[in-house]
Amino acid sequence: HAHAARLSWQAILAGAAQRLVLTAAGALTVEPTGVAHDLGAVFAWNGALVGRSMEAPEGGLLALGAALRACLIAGASERLLDMTIAYANERVQFGKPIGRQQALQQNLAVMAEQVVATRLVAQTVCAFGLPVNPLAVAMAKQVAGSFAAPVANTAHAIHGAIGISEEYDLQLLSRRLHSWRLADGAEGLWAQKLGAARLNDPRSSIDFLRDLAPGLR
């Protein structure tokens, strides 16, 4: 759907004080962002929220949202990489696919590294399950947010003009990457949280990292 005003929700998970409340969507005021094709919206309410309530986990709704955004960025980045590789192998210039050009291959290799790194941090935060691990969330959102824009930029650089055409799905995915990068805190916020946690931890860096990677325990 092109605009948030056209979307429909049955229920919204909202944060209020130290609680999370699953409330009926009709009880909230929904304002679209005004950005074309944006799936986001601003929700507002007056008074106390009514609905199923639960205690907020450590980090609250922000941490839950950031973990989700990291996973969304990972999935969209993977799809962009697949589309870009396919296009590079199909688009012919000067008698050969543009994917055979060394400079373009280098860009694709760097893009693939960024996509794999994003996938790994998303898998790491998911490995902890619920409630989310705040440090794993900080790592995942910081890394995913840092690579979202470069991945989108490389995809558009290789696709050229077709990448911004409304009929082609590339622009939908790159819009989402930029939106999800900023949602629930951009990479600067989560880098600060991660750095503060490291500085306040008396253990060695390797012991600190073990808590962020379940497979290293």
Side-chain angles (χ1 to χ4, degrees):
H1 297 283
H3 299 285
R6 297 178 186 173
L7 299 177
S8 61
W9 299 269
Q10 291 184 341
I12 302 296
L13 184 63
Q18 301 301 316
R19 308 287 294 177
L20 298 181
V21 181
L22 188 65
T23 186
L28 307 177
T29 300
V30 182
E31 290 290 339
T33 63
V35 178
H37 299 289
D38 190 6
L39 296 180
V42 177
F43 298 92
W45 61 88
N46 294 318
L49 288 170
V50 177
R52 182 175 297 179
S53 176
M54 65 200 81
E55 185 177 351
E58 185 178 359
L61 195 56
L62 181 67
L64 286 172
L68 175 61
R69 306 293 181 185
C71 295
L72 290 170
I73 290 172
S77 297
E78 193 101 32
R79 177 59 180 149
L80 274 183
L81 178 62
D82 292 343
M83 292 178 66
T84 304
I85 292 174
Y87 181 80
N89 288 329
E90 294 168 1
R91 178 74 167 92
V92 175
Q93 272 188 340
F94 307 110
K96 65 179 181 180
I98 62 174
R100 293 185 184 176
Q101 299 176 15
Q102 187 173 4
L104 194 144
Q105 290 174 350
Q106 170 67 16
N107 288 335
L108 283 173
V110 172
M111 182 183 182
E113 292 175 359
Q114 295 166 338
V115 170
V116 169
T118 302
R119 183 205 311 151
L120 289 175
V121 293
Q123 289 174 337
T124 297
V125 75
C126 290
F128 284 97
L130 295 174
V132 295
N133 180 294
L135 291 180
V137 169
M139 176 186 67
K141 190 59 163 66
Q142 195 281 326
V143 172
S146 296
F147 289 145
V151 166
N153 293 343
T154 301
H156 277 283
I158 293 175
H159 276 84
I162 192 175
I164 61 173
S165 62
E166 190 167 9
E167 296 79 10
Y168 196 62
D169 286 349
L170 185 81
Q171 50 87 18
L172 293 176
L173 293 165
S174 60
R175 287 175 191 270
R176 303 291 181 267
L177 285 182
H178 288 294
S179 175
W180 293 334
R181 172 197 167 198
L182 298 176
D184 297 301
E187 58 269 24
L189 170 68
W190 293 104
Q192 289 178 356
K193 291 180 178 293
L194 195 59
R198 176 65 194 97
L199 291 174
N200 292 329
D201 195 318
R203 299 174 299 166
S204 67
S205 293
I206 188 63
D207 288 334
F208 179 79
L209 287 173
R210 284 195 180 101
D211 282 346
L212 294 178
L216 295 178
R217 293 178 179 177

